[in-house]
Amino acid sequence: MLQEEIRRRNLGTLLRHVHLDGSVSRAALAERMGLNRSTIMALTLELTAAGLVHEEAPTDTGRTGRPSLVVRPETTGVYVLAFDVAVDWLTAARVGLGGVILDRRRAARPRAGADLDRVVEVLAGFGRELHDAAPPEAVCAGVGASYCGMIRPGDGMVRFGPDLGWVDQAFGAELGHRLGLARPVPVGNEAHLGAVAEQRRGAGRGFQNMIYLHGDVGVGGGIIVGGKLLDGDGGYACELGHMVVNPHDGRPCGCGSHGCLEAEVGERALLDAAGRPADLSGRDALRDVVADAGRGDPTARAALHRIGDWLGVGVANLINLFNPGVVIFGGMLRDVYPGAAADQVRTRIAANVLPVARERVRLRTSALGDDATLVGAAELGFSALLADPLGGVVPALPPRR
Amino acid sequence: MLQEEIRRRNLGTLLRHVHLDGSVSRAALAERMGLNRSTIMALTLELTAAGLVHEEAPTDTGRTGRPSLVVRPETTGVYVLAFDVAVDWLTAARVGLGGVILDRRRAARPRAGADLDRVVEVLAGFGRELHDAAPPEAVCAGVGASYCGMIRPGDGMVRFGPDLGWVDQAFGAELGHRLGLARPVPVGNEAHLGAVAEQRRGAGRGFQNMIYLHGDVGVGGGIIVGGKLLDGDGGYACELGHMVVNPHDGRPCGCGSHGCLEAEVGERALLDAAGRPADLSGRDALRDVVADAGRGDPTARAALHRIGDWLGVGVANLINLFNPGVVIFGGMLRDVYPGAAADQVRTRIAANVLPVARERVRLRTSALGDDATLVGAAELGFSALLADPLGGVVPALPPRR
């Protein structure tokens, strides 16, 4: 029984390496897992028989001699459905083992009036389409969803989703029901999932302590502590967007408070500071401000300077609190940060962070861009399979019609 | 070998239960550890033979029938030496297994001019005295120290200790050397250790996610995430005192920045707000302000109101970030918080924290008071023994003269 447990754990670990790296040689697996090559071969054979991986000759090793076979995930044969409810769009994707986005559907989301029923209907329709378009022999191994709000772990209940005006909406359960699944779809907060995705596959690879800021209309956060997502007592931690940075004359925030980080650096703050009309919104409008600043427009430059300064106050506070190895700017901050904002952020860090805590921190933009949340949702979908590779490949969706 | 490892781990777990609870029945141990009573009896016999625990009849079970024997730690027979370098004092204590302070020495610390040599000389002298005063058969199982500054893990190097003006001072190594030990004394930041102590033995018992604020001249922090101290990449996390809460017209901070939480709510901020002379300092002066406020003095009340408001801004930010089960006010904040400050803190939390993140958080004052840091240092000293009870009881100090 103990032997059996160890074997299952090793199968999961091997599959996780292959899933995250895309292509790993038997020799590298043996070294990383501390097992001999014959054990790696036996484990690989089991995963191959289960249709999860295959082996092939490496394309080019750059060395002479007989190269070690590489193990690769069955990307097109095993997939999950990943959903993303963001402020601007609804997305669904078929994501293959190895984290490859194989196919996707996207719809613009109206900024108001998107009730649970309508959102679930669109997503479930996309999910069914993606499932039907998959190769006949491919297996759906799981489902996961990202949502721009505070999510109760376990059942995917949206406790607070200000952008869609949702409070206590059973999103995970409804989506599961509409997809014909026996249980709720696992749901995560978009910035939490973005952080997990960046740590596993993006700009945070190799870091155990990491802060991910996800700019959208607001600013969400995902914080990795000791390799794990900071969840807190109820799963509602990481709300760095509601850290008050400007208590004196702060802008009003959607949460009811004033001077929150997201009120000072979110989409509205930047567009207002740049003197854009109040009815303008969205990513393109933000990019216009960044482009204008790049061309030397003084109003746009001043706007980015202001936003960068508040962002710097917030980031400096976070570095003092978390002593992270890396801070990653994602979502719309990926556009805003590299411009004038970066200088302000660095200036604030130099002024406000204790030298010892900042001596090794790196500042980066998201490597996965707008796909970070979707890739994170897919990781949620793959988690059961990776925990128990041979028990896990039961089709998550009913057979195709 | 695997069996032997399991046995050692079980011995450690049993000893930890007894160390933390002081008195645990065999029946309770069996239930908590998921082992049968005969295994518990065998483990207890081993620990008894090693002089670490003893069994006795419970004083009063309130039930009829034969009561389960209780296992208790050998408090007077096995101890550690714990040291505490605080802003106002230098303390050393002999702390018995079970966390009982058996004996202590304390000296006032001059607020300036305390160099490494002098501090280590005083502490080592105290340590030698305490060791010599212990019963002849008692064994010193470890040493641990607390320091009011940023400490490098591993060798107890003080990277930054603004209150004593220390930068990169080899405190752990020097103290170990002066005590005649073969290696550096393990050292922790005072607020980190206070947090660990409160979680294991104080107001944070049973909480996996906890924030401890330690007020002194400044404000330190210890944050427990998922049962473990938040350390960050270099061990320098939790610097909540240097979170900027007042970026506009903040008071200057010892770190070189302005408007840090500790600049707004530390000792100097409160005494200044209460109109006390600039040369007044120390805990008694703070308590006078609190007492005056209690008697209705308007200046003292306004001062506490101001400090409470900034404390509230900081605590609200921390709750949004960490979604903790409990926030604990320690050090001088134990005196300041329960007065007028508590109302301000609650008001800020209600205004600034997302409802979902604050629905279950508790606010408490430290249960261990000024002993929290010393008790935390003792826990550091006990850690090797608890990790391997039978390998660990080698006298940490050389035999007495």
Side-chain angles (χ1 to χ4, degrees):
Chain A
M1 191 56 210
L2 201 63
Q3 287 285 8
E4 174 60 19
E5 226 171 82
I6 291 171
R7 191 180 126 270
R8 278 179 183 270
R9 200 187 307 158
N10 283 339
L11 286 168
T13 304
L14 197 159
L15 186 59
R16 184 175 293 272
H17 281 299
V18 173
H19 171 62
L20 292 181
D21 286 13
S23 162
V24 196
S25 72
R26 279 192 197 167
L29 287 167
E31 199 184 314
R32 290 195 209 166
M33 294 175 65
L35 298 171
N36 61 40
R37 290 210 195 188
S38 63
T39 306
I40 294 293
M41 192 166 74
L43 293 168
T44 305
L45 279 177
E46 280 200 77
L47 293 175
T48 303
L52 295 168
V53 305
H54 63 274
E55 295 183 286
E56 57 187 47
T59 45
D60 180 17
T61 63
R63 285 198 241 169
T64 54
R66 197 167 147 213
S68 175
L69 286 174
V70 298
V71 186
R72 298 179 58 90
E74 281 291 0
T75 299
T76 53
V78 182
Y79 68 89
V80 297
L81 291 180
F83 299 96
D84 185 11
V85 180
V87 176
D88 287 325
W89 51 69
L90 303 176
T91 313
R94 189 157 53 86
V95 180
L97 191 62
V100 181
I101 298 176
L102 300 167
D103 195 1
R104 75 168 89 197
R105 301 284 184 280
R106 172 169 289 191
R109 193 188 66 72
R111 286 227 165 172
D115 66 4
L116 176 65
D117 240 34
R118 178 70 193 134
V119 166
V120 166
E121 188 188 334
V122 171
L123 292 179
F126 283 167
R128 181 56 64 186
E129 272 179 55
L130 291 162
H131 185 59
D132 288 347
E137 70 285 2
V139 177
C140 177
V143 183
S146 165
Y147 185 93
C148 52
M150 298 174 90
I151 309 300
R152 184 164 69 196
D155 66 356
M157 166 80 81
V158 174
R159 294 296 314 279
F160 182 57
D163 294 311
L164 285 78
W166 291 13
V167 173
D168 291 334
Q169 298 283 303
F171 174 56
E174 274 304 304
L175 184 57
H177 177 71
R178 202 72 72 99
L179 287 166
L181 304 175
R183 60 185 71 170
V185 168
V187 184
N189 165 277
E190 62 173 353
H192 295 192
L193 293 178
V196 168
E198 288 291 339
Q199 201 230 357
R200 294 191 187 165
R201 301 183 175 282
R205 278 196 82 146
F207 290 94
Q208 293 299 297
N209 298 287
M210 177 194 122
I211 290 169
Y212 173 73
L213 293 103
H214 186 83
D216 212 321
V217 169
V219 177
I223 300 171
I224 306 285
V225 171
K228 291 169 78 172
L229 182 72
L230 173 68
D231 52 4
D233 247 33
Y236 308 121
C238 304
E239 286 293 338
L240 52 85
H242 298 285
M243 173 167 55
V244 171
V245 289
N246 186 5
H248 273 295
D249 56 355
R251 293 167 52 90
C253 183
C255 75
S257 183
H258 287 75
C260 296
L261 182 65
E262 79 167 39
E264 301 297 343
V265 312
E267 179 182 301
R268 197 66 258 148
L270 181 61
L271 294 176
D272 286 353
R276 307 291 155 125
D279 60 349
L280 200 67
S281 68
R283 188 70 64 91
D284 288 342
L286 289 174
R287 289 194 175 129
D288 282 347
V289 177
V290 174
D292 286 354
R295 281 189 293 269
D297 176 79
T299 311
R301 288 177 68 96
L304 278 173
H305 189 286
R306 180 193 155 87
I307 266 63
D309 192 47
W310 287 119
L311 186 60
V313 172
V315 168
N317 283 351
L318 293 168
I319 297 173
N320 274 322
L321 284 168
F322 291 97
N323 183 206
V326 64
V327 178
I328 298 172
F329 299 92
M332 72 91 168
L333 292 175
R334 190 159 170 265
D335 298 311
V336 169
Y337 174 76
D343 289 341
Q344 300 308 309
V345 170
R346 288 183 190 280
T347 302
R348 278 289 184 182
I349 290 173
N352 296 6
V353 179
L354 297 166
V356 168
R358 69 174 137 89
E359 60 194 2
R360 285 189 303 184
V361 69
R362 278 156 224 219
L363 306 174
R364 295 182 176 171
T365 51
S366 156
L368 301 170
D370 289 336
D371 285 339
T373 52
L374 199 60
V375 169
E379 291 299 312
L380 209 52
F382 279 119
S383 57
L385 175 68
L386 294 172
D388 184 6
L390 302 191
V393 198
V394 281
L397 284 197
R400 291 176 197 80
R401 287 158 296 188
Chain B
M1 191 56 209
L2 200 63
Q3 287 284 7
E4 174 60 18
E5 222 171 86
I6 291 170
R7 188 180 129 268
R8 278 178 183 271
R9 199 187 308 157
N10 283 338
L11 286 168
T13 304
L14 197 158
L15 186 60
R16 183 175 293 271
H17 281 299
V18 172
H19 172 63
L20 291 180
D21 287 13
S23 162
V24 195
S25 73
R26 279 193 196 168
L29 287 166
E31 199 183 312
R32 288 195 211 167
M33 294 175 64
L35 299 172
N36 62 42
R37 288 212 196 188
S38 62
T39 306
I40 294 294
M41 194 165 75
L43 294 167
T44 305
L45 279 176
E46 279 201 76
L47 293 175
T48 302
L52 295 168
V53 304
H54 64 274
E55 294 185 286
E56 57 188 44
T59 46
D60 181 16
T61 63
R63 287 199 239 167
T64 55
R66 195 165 149 217
S68 175
L69 286 173
V70 297
V71 186
R72 297 179 59 88
E74 281 291 1
T75 299
T76 53
V78 182
Y79 68 89
V80 297
L81 291 180
F83 299 95
D84 186 11
V85 180
V87 176
D88 287 324
W89 53 69
L90 302 175
T91 313
R94 190 156 52 85
V95 181
L97 193 62
V100 181
I101 297 175
L102 300 167
D103 194 2
R104 75 168 91 198
R105 302 285 184 280
R106 171 169 290 191
R109 189 187 70 70
R111 285 228 166 174
D115 65 6
L116 175 67
D117 241 33
R118 178 71 192 133
V119 166
V120 165
E121 187 188 336
V122 171
L123 291 179
F126 283 167
R128 181 58 61 188
E129 272 180 55
L130 290 163
H131 185 59
D132 288 348
E137 71 283 4
V139 176
C140 177
V143 183
S146 165
Y147 185 92
C148 53
M150 297 172 92
I151 310 300
R152 183 164 69 195
D155 65 355
M157 166 79 81
V158 174
R159 295 296 314 278
F160 183 55
D163 294 312
L164 284 78
W166 289 13
V167 173
D168 290 334
Q169 297 284 304
F171 174 56
E174 274 304 305
L175 184 57
H177 178 70
R178 201 72 72 100
L179 286 167
L181 304 175
R183 59 184 72 171
V185 170
V187 184
N189 165 276
E190 62 173 353
H192 294 190
L193 294 177
V196 168
E198 289 290 339
Q199 201 230 357
R200 292 191 187 166
R201 303 185 174 279
R205 277 196 82 145
F207 289 94
Q208 293 299 297
N209 297 287
M210 179 194 121
I211 290 169
Y212 172 74
L213 293 103
H214 186 84
D216 214 317
V217 169
V219 177
I223 300 173
I224 307 284
V225 170
K228 291 171 79 171
L229 182 72
L230 173 67
D231 52 5
D233 246 33
Y236 309 120
C238 303
E239 287 292 337
L240 53 84
H242 298 285
M243 172 167 57
V244 171
V245 290
N246 187 5
H248 273 296
D249 56 355
R251 293 167 51 90
C253 182
C255 75
S257 182
H258 286 75
C260 296
L261 183 65
E262 81 169 39
E264 301 298 342
V265 313
E267 181 182 300
R268 197 67 256 150
L270 181 62
L271 294 175
D272 285 351
R276 307 290 155 125
D279 60 348
L280 200 67
S281 67
R283 188 70 65 90
D284 288 342
L286 288 175
R287 289 193 176 129
D288 283 347
V289 177
V290 175
D292 286 355
R295 281 190 294 269
D297 176 79
T299 311
R301 288 176 68 96
L304 279 172
H305 189 286
R306 182 194 154 87
I307 266 64
D309 192 46
W310 287 119
L311 186 60
V313 172
V315 168
N317 283 352
L318 294 167
I319 297 173
N320 274 322
L321 283 170
F322 291 97
N323 183 205
V326 64
V327 178
I328 298 173
F329 299 92
M332 73 91 169
L333 291 175
R334 190 159 170 263
D335 298 312
V336 169
Y337 175 76
D343 289 341
Q344 300 309 310
V345 172
R346 288 182 191 282
T347 302
R348 278 289 183 180
I349 290 174
N352 296 7
V353 181
L354 297 166
V356 167
R358 70 173 136 89
E359 60 194 3
R360 285 189 303 184
V361 68
R362 280 156 223 216
L363 306 174
R364 293 182 177 171
T365 51
S366 156
L368 301 171
D370 288 336
D371 286 339
T373 52
L374 200 59
V375 170
E379 292 298 314
L380 210 52
F382 279 120
S383 57
L385 176 67
L386 295 172
D388 183 5
L390 301 192
V393 199
V394 282
L397 283 198
R400 288 172 201 81
R401 287 158 296 191

